[in-house]
């Protein structure tokens, strides 16, 4: 499946979406095996209320894509009145129906959406085409019967007639989306209002939800190449699990990120961005390097370890398995110092010793220079000595033992 599809989606939409309409009409040919029965009205409304509710006895809702709400978009105090927002997202697992989550988390006023589509299929909310989202709130749409292909680009379009800002957004998406009005169309690398796409899937085992920072969000990777390590992991899982990437550039574990970037800290957003994800079975935590290297720094590695362990305990309380990653090297980056590096190394030793996660993946060992272990291997370095390039992210994604993702939480107390 070609992975560069964002521009093709826009071309098809501007040209009248004839190809998309044909695909919608014959989309059932994309899937093999028995198909779940159509959604009943009762199932439609029950599923819209409950992010993890099964659609019926043979199909379950699973996240195929997520994009965590980060902050209020600068300069959007009045929203985007009369504009159309076209969010391009890349799927991990497929299904025969979809639903979307829209967030007004950082809005100061109610948000009205009067048109929404998934690949040109109209979306409704409790049966209506228009929905009003309270300031600070979110809504989950009714299910829409639309074939969703795994490992493919999906276009989710929204129209906001009255604005209602500021806009809740996710910057640095490494994916080309669009903003349009009667005067033209502009490309952007921001996701706006859309925070999740779930699919109805009869065979997926669930979702792996990844809580992370810029290294999970894909900083340094090629735009529209879907080269984040989570994309590589999704390819390896071959549709058996959805992969929900909840990485935010600049995100920290114990504190909120910098103003207008970095988002709410991992501890604070864990319920919303991890535990509430549809079909969540395994949590993957790749967080902590910004606590070490950003000001104010965490100088006590035990605080970071305790924070990671607390996330594991919260996930265990929901019956979820937790896999964690060691913190990768960054010598040469502008904030590096021997003292901060010592904290990173100490956190890694705690992780390797066990007692923090159910299992761990040694990201540090996978990408460090064996001759200068506090540095990234030069061939993996994006250029700033902290973030990886496509080859580096590919290595992380391939380094994960897939068997570590499967299983029950450890029964012994940490």
């Amino acid at each position: 499946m070609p992975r560069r599809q964002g521009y093709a989606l826009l071309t098809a939409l501007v040209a009248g979406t004839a190809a998309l309409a044909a695909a919608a009409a014959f989309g059932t040919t994309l899937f093999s095996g028995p198909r779940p029965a159509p959604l009943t009205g009762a199932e439609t409304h029950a599923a819209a209320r409950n992010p993890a509710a099964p659609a019926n006895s043979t199909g379950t809702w699973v996240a195929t894509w997520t994009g965590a709400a980060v902050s209020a978009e600068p300069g959007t105090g009045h929203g985007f009145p009369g504009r159309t927002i076209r969010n391009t997202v890349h799927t991990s697992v497929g299904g025969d129906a979809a639903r979307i989550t829209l967030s007004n988390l950082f809005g100061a006023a109610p948000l009205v959406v009067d048109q929404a589509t998934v690949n040109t299929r109209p979306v409704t909310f409790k049966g209506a085409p228009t929905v009003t989202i309270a300031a600070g709130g979110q809504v989950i749409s009714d299910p829409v019967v639309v074939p969703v292909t795994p490992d493919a680009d999906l276009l989710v379009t929204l129209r906001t007639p009255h604005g209602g800002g500021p806009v809740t957004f996710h910057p640095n998406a490494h994916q080309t989306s669009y903003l349009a009005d009667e005067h033209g169309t502009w490309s952007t690398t921001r996701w706006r209002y859309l925070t999740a796409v779930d699919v109805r899937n009869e065979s997926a085992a669930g979702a792996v939800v990844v809580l992370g920072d810029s290294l999970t969000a894909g900083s340094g990777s090629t735009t529209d190449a879907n080269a984040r390590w989570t994309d590589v992991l999704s390819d390896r899982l071959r549709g058996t699990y959805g992969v929900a990437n909840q990485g935010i550039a600049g995100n920290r574990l114990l504190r909120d990120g910098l103003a207008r970037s970095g988002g709410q800290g991992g501890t604070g957003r864990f319920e919303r961005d991890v535990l509430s994800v549809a079909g969540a079975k395994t949590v993957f935590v790749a967080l902590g390097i910004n606590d070490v290297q950003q000001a104010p720094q965490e100088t006590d590695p035990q605080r970071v370890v305790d924070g990671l362990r607390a996330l594991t305990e919260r996930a265990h309380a929901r019956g979820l398995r937790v896999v964690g990653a060691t913190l990768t090297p960054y010598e040469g980056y502008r904030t590096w110092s021997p003292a901060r590096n010592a904290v990173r190394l100490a956190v890694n030793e705690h992780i390797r010793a066990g007692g923090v996660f159910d299992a761990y993946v040694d990201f540090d060992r996978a990408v460090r220079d064996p001759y200068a272990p506090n540095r990234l291997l030069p061939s993996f370095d994006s250029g700033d000595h902290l973030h990886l390039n496509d080859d580096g992210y590919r290595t992380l994604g391939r380094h994960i033992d897939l068997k570590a993702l499967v299983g029950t939480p450890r029964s012994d107390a940490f």
Side-chain angles (χ1 to χ4, degrees), residues 80-398:
F80 290 129
R83 293 194 179 184
T84 299
I85 298 162
R86 299 170 183 161
N87 292 300
T88 305
V89 305
H90 196 76
T91 64
S92 57
V93 67
D96 71 343
R99 65 185 187 189
I100 62 175
T101 300
L102 304 181
S103 174
N104 192 25
L105 181 62
F106 298 101
L111 170 69
V112 177
V113 175
D114 66 354
Q115 295 176 20
T117 62
V118 175
N119 278 3
T120 75
R121 291 286 184 93
V123 176
T124 60
F125 303 84
K126 295 184 177 179
T130 298
V131 66
T132 300
I133 309 168
Q138 70 172 29
V139 298
I140 301 170
S141 77
D142 300 333
V144 54
V145 178
V146 57
V148 177
T149 306
D151 189 26
D153 284 354
L154 193 72
L155 190 66
V156 179
T157 301
L158 317 168
R159 182 178 181 273
T160 55
H162 312 303
V167 174
T168 296
F169 86 132
H170 181 111
N172 308 311
H174 310 289
Q175 197 98 41
T176 302
S177 293
Y178 306 92
L179 182 65
D181 62 16
E182 67 274 16
H183 302 295
T185 300
W186 298 266
S187 63
T188 178
T189 55
R190 298 174 173 184
W191 290 313
R192 296 175 168 115
Y193 296 127
L194 181 70
T195 58
V197 178
D198 305 330
V199 294
R200 189 179 69 169
N201 185 295
E202 63 183 88
S203 60
V208 177
V209 187
V210 184
L211 182 71
D213 47 40
S214 57
L215 295 169
T216 295
S219 295
S221 67
T222 302
T223 297
D224 293 327
N226 300 300
R228 310 165 191 87
W229 70 260
T230 53
D231 296 310
V232 177
L233 174 62
S234 177
D235 290 344
R236 294 180 63 208
L237 289 169
R238 298 179 181 272
T240 58
Y241 283 84
V243 176
N245 185 332
Q246 297 287 42
I248 296 176
N251 201 227
R252 298 176 63 142
L253 173 67
L254 301 176
R255 299 173 183 262
D256 292 348
L258 303 175
R260 294 187 175 179
S261 66
Q264 185 180 16
T267 299
R269 69 187 181 99
F270 196 66
E271 175 71 33
R272 179 183 69 245
D273 289 350
V274 177
L275 300 182
S276 297
V277 170
K281 294 294 183 184
T282 300
V283 179
F284 195 114
V285 180
L287 205 56
I289 191 63
N290 289 327
D291 295 78
V292 173
Q293 65 90 14
Q294 283 184 0
Q297 299 85 25
E298 292 294 340
T299 58
D300 182 359
Q302 191 62 51
R303 279 180 45 82
V304 178
V305 171
D306 288 346
L308 295 172
R309 186 179 290 116
L311 296 186
T312 298
E313 292 170 351
R314 290 169 65 182
H316 281 182
R318 301 290 184 90
L320 304 180
R321 181 173 175 80
V322 185
V323 179
T326 54
L327 309 184
T328 52
Y330 71 105
E331 184 177 358
Y333 189 66
R334 56 184 175 79
T335 62
W336 189 91
S337 72
R340 294 175 189 176
N341 189 59
V343 176
R344 180 185 72 88
L345 295 176
V347 171
N348 284 350
E349 287 308 306
H350 278 283
I351 292 173
R352 292 183 181 114
V356 180
F357 306 113
D358 295 313
Y360 77 90
V361 178
D362 205 335
F363 276 2
D364 172 35
R365 188 177 300 276
V367 297
R368 71 191 185 193
D369 186 337
Y371 300 103
N374 293 319
R375 289 180 176 268
L376 293 173
L377 192 69
S379 60
F380 294 156
D381 192 338
S382 68
D384 67 3
H385 310 302
L386 172 65
H387 300 102
L388 302 172
N389 57 25
D390 291 357
D391 286 340
Y393 288 124
R394 188 177 301 110
T395 297
L396 293 186
R398 291 175 175 173

